[in-house]
Amino acid sequence: VGLDAIAAAVKRVWASLWTPRAVAYRRRLEIAEAGMAVVIMPMLSAVAAGVAFSCDPVSGRDDRVVINAVAGLADTLVSGQVSGEEIALESDQLRDLRGIVHRRGPASGLTDAGAVELAALIQETAFALDYSAPWYDIEWVWDGKRFYLVQARPVTARPWHTYPGLIGQTALWSNGNTR
């Protein structure tokens, strides 16, 4: 609380740029110069919060949005202390319809209509970030009136989705043209 505490926190964040882990990461990626911005924003009053994936991170399906949600702030969810509620939505890419496939786990306070609204926002955001590979892990907060997106990262280990009859089959690649 207060300006001195904010200044000290900003200095700690800047200092993290020179931790052994951060230095090793930059060295491995051959990043010669590094800089860091520190964003200071008010704490959001969360009715529900969580992480949403613009694809199914388990199956790799890109016609699904998977939302993990908890009541209140999502610090326990993102740290792995709780699993929260999982809401999976499926979309029809031609008509852009979204429907809830399942809801599992303890209720988060996010309504069905809220889940559909969030899924649309997640897909729009993922496409805006990278239209060719729009698979993102996006942290969000809902204050009871609107959604706030607070962080986005690419999904780094999306499994290849295929039809059940093709699982285990050899992949064939061709540069042939079809008509």
Side-chain angles (χ1 to χ4, degrees), residues 59-60 158-162 173:
S59 71
R158 188 174 76 93
W160 177 258
H161 173 67
T162 190
W173 292 91

Side-chain angles (χ1 to χ4, degrees), residues 4 7 53 61 71 74 80 88 97 103 108 112 130 142 145 164 170 174:
D4 291 338
F53 298 89
R61 291 181 62 163
L97 299 175
R103 292 185 81 129
S108 62
D112 287 353
D130 186 352
W142 181 56
K145 295 178 186 160
T170 303
S174 170

Side-chain angles (χ1 to χ4, degrees), residues 75-90:
D75 53 339
T76 56
L77 178 72
V78 297
S79 68
Q81 295 174 22
V82 299
S83 296
E85 180 178 25
E86 180 182 275
I87 308 166
L89 298 97
E90 200 165 299

